[in-house]
Structures are given as structure tokens and as C-alpha cells.
Amino acid sequence: MTQELLVSMIDEEDRDQVGPNRLDSDNPLAYAEYRIRRADTGEVRWVARQGEVIEGATEAQRRYVGVAFDVTQRRQIEQELRTSQDRLVAIFGQASVGLSELSLEGRFERVNGALCRMLGRSEEQMLGVHMDDLIHPDDKQENTALVQQLLATGQPFTLEKRYFRPDGEWVWVSSSMSRLDDACGRPVSLIAVKIDITERRRIEAALRDLNDTLEQRVTREIAERDKAEEALRQAQKMEAVGQLTGGVAHDFNNVLQIISGNLHLLAQHVQADQVARRRLEMAIAAVERGAKLSSQLLAFARRQPLQPVVADLGKLVSNMDELLRRALGEAVELVTVIGSGLWNALVDPGQIENVILNLAINARDAMQGAGRLTIELGNAVLDEYYVNNLVDVPSGHYVMLSVTDTGCGMTPEVLQRAFEPFFTTKPEGEGTGLGLSMAYGFVKQSRGHIKIYSEPGQGTSVKIYLPRTTQAETDDIVPRTGPATGGSETILVVEDDEGVRHVVLDMLAALGYRVLQAENGEQALRIIESGEPVDLLFTDVVMPGTLRSPELARIAQQLRPDLAVLFTSGYPQNSIVHGGRLDEGLELLSKPYRREELARKLRHVLNNRAQQTLAQARQRSVLEAGAGGASELLEPAPAIERDASLRVLVVEDNLDSQQMVCELVGMLGHTVSGVSDGEAAWELMQAQDFDILFTDVSLPGMSGIELARRVVAARPMRVIFSTGYGKEALDHLGFPAACLRKPYDLMELQAALDAARAQTPADHPH
């Protein structure tokens, strides 16, 4: 074959490798592979050639001598192998699971991107690292044993283990490892496939925890359901008793009022007849027992109209000492323990006294008239854990009243029914079974909590928790004892029950009052509108007709601002009582009442109204003098000792802010009262003494500045303004004051109070 023919057969892509230049060179190619195209079929085949060039005498005699063989199949196999390897590399690098090849010693030699992302490291950081350096210490022993078994037997394994990440987290991985052998069966390396199972393990752990606590949770849910059902049954029972009581109480108390009133009136005419006097006293005592029974039923049903005031229970219990000793007898030792720094509570004094007296009498009977009764008062905190199993008892600060005896105690069965109305263990005729139920209803109505601790033979302890208040103690200005005096004022009596109306008219006339009468609200309003002089409106709460008593009182006081109002009722329903408490600013005399109670209540209401009218007249005269004149009337505020507790009145229309400020002032050791508007603050100022007025500038109705002007014009007073507008709003006040800009913290509040304590009239408001 000539050189030209050979070259013409070689594929164009390979001619540079084995073409004429190579054949003609001084160093001819000994071996080469190239493609040729068959002339007959056009098929391209791979050919391997090996030989040498033999020189001739002439150029024409120069020849190539060698062999050629077809290597097409081998070249195809090699190409397929390279393609397969490229595919495997791509699969390894792009796999969604972690893939790695490790040396027989356990060091990473190849890793893919998924494994790097899983373990939070780059490829450079992974290569050469020993797997034991990344595995959790608790998982190393099992992993090492399985790897050794794999190297010895070739048996693959799968293990769930934890790997450490540079961010400090441990990732759970399911690792399947196998051994890679060579053609002779000798181990070459280890291949590992890893899947991130962190989320699965978290779910499994949560499921295990759920299963482990399922029984507890079911028990707790059943207990919660039982508690809710018991609360529902109790509420339904209370509602049923309340409906029954409310339906009867009004008419029953009206009947008692007629009997009581006539008995008291009759008693004025039989002073000399001892027999008649004794019978009247027995009848009056029976009426009072009936009234007490009605009151106890209303208290249990939480429908007793409470009139709570801020009270120091320590003083209240101390004042009851003589009464309790008489009720208990000489054989019962009375011990009273009052904790230091006792908080104030918002409570109806008369009702809490009845509760304490009933508990003391129950204790006396349980001790069979001899033993020790301990009354203890202290501060208490009911936390979230304690109230978790209680119904309608919020966590927080309470004043605790404990009554403990050394009596016979209660069995669990008796203890479970102790608060039920009419349930008693006393012999028939010796108890109504309403004492504890009345205490329960009163405490619940006062938003408190009551609990009995008792064991047979170990005595009984009743603990009452009443919510704490940071307000200052209210002075008890209602006289409870002393002579019942009358007056000469004109009283308009509004009562639909004819019998009650005649009795009340006779009682008032006997006290010296001029009396007018009306059967309903419409008649009473016509009397008011006629111009007839009236000093006090004495009206029943529940009356027929379209004009309700609260509306009658409102219209009447609009027509006559100096008119005093006193409500009376045997069951006021929701007319003037909301949330179990008498509406603020109202006066109520519950039926049935005695002549003395009526007389004292009337004088109390009339005197309060006279004081308010006098204060308003004095204020008007001061304001008429003008701002300049008011400034001249200012007197230096009296000095306050450096460490003395301040009496602070907080005026803030935002109730949340008001409560917050009162809490902070209380934390600083001062006594505090809070109101929502200037008008209420002004009225409270007439009844109580304060050292500092702490008021917002913007208030509904009377502004804080106007309120402060009135206050400092009427009496020397230190003033702190709380405002979000800055001091510029307080320019040209004309009297000394401090400014505390919102928002402020506890330290700023304390500094403002300290500054106000030392304030003098010469101080500038800024």
C-alpha cells in the first residue's frame, strides 16, 4: 500500500497525528491509533498501527513495514466507561443524600455537596477528617464496633447517630455504610450514604413524650372536666337558690318591715307596761331572726348588695374583741394574731363582721364551749400554681383571715358538703346551716377565696382570702351606735306597698321630719317639679310604673342639685347593684330596718349632702374672686416629715394607667387612692385629707389644671402633674406644682414625690 493511499484512508481528524509529516519525519511513529473510513461502506473504524519505515536506495523505494489491527470495539468500550464514570461523578456530586468515601482508617476521602451542607462544612474542611472527630461521644462505641465488623466480614450496616456542626448543633443522621473491594476481594475503602433525620427524631421524641404523658394528660383533662362540671352544678344551684330567694326576698322583707316598724312604733307607747314591753321585744327579736335568715340566703346566692370600703381588717377584728368574747364565753380562749404591715382590703365591714362572728360561733359549738379560738390576719400571695385548680380565683395579692379552733373537726364527707345551704351537723333546732354558706357567698361576691382545712379530732381552720387594695383606708363616718336623732327636714317617701309606706311615714313623723309621700316614680316626679321644698328623696328601688327609681333620682337631682337621695329595698336586683356591689356614690338602707337604723342613716345622708353643698358654695366664692385673688389666698403647705408616709390622690381616666400608678405609689410605701375624673376627685377631697394631688392634665369633664386650681384655692396642697405634652402645658399656673412627663419609671416617680414633699409656695412649677 502506498503512502498516498494510506493517508487518504485516515479520517481527517487524525491525519495530523499519523499523516505525511509523521511518516516522513526522522523519527517515524512506531505505534498509533486512528480512524479510517471504508471506501465501500463509508463506515469509520478505529485502527491500531505499529511498524517502521524502511529506507530504499531511492525515495521511491522507501517503504513502511508494520502491522495494523482493528481496535474499534475496544475504543467503544473505553468511551462507554468514561461516560459511565462521568455519570457516576455527576450523580455523586448532585445527590440529595449525603455520600462519602472513607479510607479504611475512617478518614473522609470524597464527599458530596449534600453531606457538606448537612454537616455545615465545606469540602476542604471535610477531606482528611476522621469520622470519630464528628460523631457524638455517646454514639462512638457502637459505630466503631460496627465498622470493625464491616472491615472483617464485609457485612454492611445502618446506624442512626449524631454529628457535630460548627454552629454548636447536633444533627441526627441515618448512616448506611458498606465496604468497597478490588477485583481480588481485598478492601479498598468504605462507602457511606447519610440521610438527615433530625426532624424525624424530634417528632418521634415529641410522640414518645406525648405517649408517656398521655395518661397524665387524660387524668388532668378529666379532672378539669370534673371541676368545670362541679362549677357548673354549683353555679346552677346558686342560680336556683338566688332566683328563689330573689323572688321571695322583696315581698318577705316588706312584710317584715311592716311588722318591725309597727312593733318599734308600738314600743314608744308601752314603756311602762313591762309585760307588753317583753312581748314586743320577743316579737322584734323574731323579726330580726327572719331578716337575718333572708340576708343569709341573699348572701349565699351572692345577691346581697355589698357596700365595700377600704378597710384595715386588723382594726376591724380588734374592735370586735369584746363582742367575740361575749359570744364565745369565758371557757374559750381567744387569741388574735395580726401580722405586721397588713395590707388594706376592699370589703363590706358589716358583712365581714357577720362572717367572723358566725365562724366564731361555729367554732365554739365544735369545741363544746371550751377550747382555743385563734384569729390570724396576714398578707398572702396566691400564685399561678395554687389557683390553677380553682374556679374564678385570679392569682395575686390577698389579705388572709384565718379562724382556727381546737374542736372535733370534720370528716371528709362533712367537709365536702360544708358550704351547702341548710346543711348542718348540729342537732335539729340548733342551727340553720346557713353560716358557712353565707360566708362562702360573701367571699365569692367579694372576689375572694375561702378554704376549709379540717380532720376529725384535729380541729378546723377556715381561711379567707380577700383581694388587696393599695388605696388608703376609708374613715368610717357612718355612726353605728349612739342615740337615734331626727330632724326637721322635708323627706319625700316613694313606696308602692301601702303598709310599708304608712309605717315609714309614721316613723319619720315620730323623728320630727316633715313628710311627703308618693306611690310611684311618676307621682314623686310631679311633686319635685311642683316646687314643693324637698331635702331628701327616700325611695324604694323596685317599683311599678315606667319611671324606675334610679332614673327618678337622676332627674330629681338635675332639677334640684342639693337634693339628697337614699334608696331602700329588700332585694335591689340589678337596678343599683352591679357585680354584687352597690353603685358608687349611692346610699342604700336594706329592709327590714329598725327605727334607730333609719334615723342614723338619714342623718348620715343629710349631713353629707350639707357638707358637699357648703364646700361647693365656698369653692364658687373663691372662683368668683378670680385667678389673681385665688393666688393671693394660697397658704404654705404644712411641712411633712422626711420619712413620713404620704397620702396621695391619683386622678387618671385610663383605668390601666391609674392602677399602675397606684401600685407604684403603694410600692414606695405611701397610701394612695385613685379616681377617674376631676369631679370625683373633688368630692373625695371634701371627705378625706391628702398630702399630694397626682393628676393627669387631660381629663374628661374638669381638666387636671382646673381641678388643681380648685384644690389649692380651698386648702394648701402639693400638686404633681402627669402629662405627655411636656412642661410647656403648665405655663402660667399661678401656683407651685411639679411636672412628671410620661412615660416615667419608678425612680422618676419617687423623685417627683420627694420633690413635692419638700415643695414650698416659692418653688417654680418648672
Side-chain angles (χ1 to χ4, degrees), residues 132-183:
D132 285 350
D133 295 337
L134 304 179
I135 298 176
H136 194 283
D138 295 344
D139 302 332
K140 284 183 182 180
Q141 183 176 356
E142 184 179 6
N143 184 76
T144 301
L146 292 173
V147 170
Q148 290 176 351
Q149 182 180 355
L150 172 62
L151 292 173
T153 65
Q155 181 180 354
F157 68 89
T158 299
L159 177 64
E160 293 183 358
K161 50 192 174 183
R162 287 159 289 183
Y163 280 86
F164 181 72
R165 291 170 54 96
D167 58 8
E169 298 292 330
W170 291 94
V171 56
W172 274 99
V173 171
S174 175
S175 177
S176 299
M177 187 171 288
S178 58
R179 193 181 74 185
L180 182 63
D181 300 341
D182 61 12

Side-chain angles (χ1 to χ4, degrees), residues 314-379:
K315 294 181 181 178
L316 186 145
V317 171
S318 298
N319 293 335
M320 291 183 65
D321 185 79
E322 183 179 352
L323 173 63
L324 290 172
R325 292 186 186 278
R326 287 201 308 267
L328 294 173
E330 295 181 356
V332 175
E333 178 187 0
L334 177 61
V335 178
T336 303
V337 180
I338 301 176
S340 61
L342 188 67
W343 295 329
N344 289 336
L346 190 64
V347 66
D348 188 314
Q351 293 296 327
I352 192 63
E353 287 178 355
N354 286 337
V355 168
I356 296 172
L357 185 59
N358 280 331
L359 293 179
I361 293 173
N362 282 347
R364 179 201 63 190
D365 296 342
M367 295 184 291
Q368 297 182 351
R372 178 187 294 111
L373 178 69
T374 303
I375 299 179
E376 182 180 358
L377 287 160
N379 300 329

Side-chain angles (χ1 to χ4, degrees), residues 452-471:
I452 301 179
Y453 301 88
S454 183
E455 293 182 11
Q458 301 298 318
T460 300
S461 179
V462 181
K463 293 184 181 295
I464 295 174
Y465 299 87
L466 297 170
R468 173 202 181 187
T469 178
T470 57
Q471 297 182 359

Side-chain angles (χ1 to χ4, degrees), residues 233-245 300-301 303:
R233 286 193 296 270
Q234 181 71 11
Q236 290 173 337
K237 180 168 60 178
M238 296 281 286
E239 185 64 24
V241 174
Q243 291 290 344
L244 174 63
T245 304
F300 167 73
R303 297 170 187 269

Side-chain angles (χ1 to χ4, degrees), residues 51-77:
E52 60 179 343
V53 177
I54 300 176
E55 301 292 341
T58 63
E59 184 66 28
Q61 295 176 333
R62 191 181 185 201
R63 294 290 184 269
Y64 175 81
V65 178
V67 295
F69 45 92
D70 191 333
V71 295
T72 302
Q73 185 176 5
R74 180 178 63 77
R75 292 297 293 248
Q76 290 175 345
I77 292 173

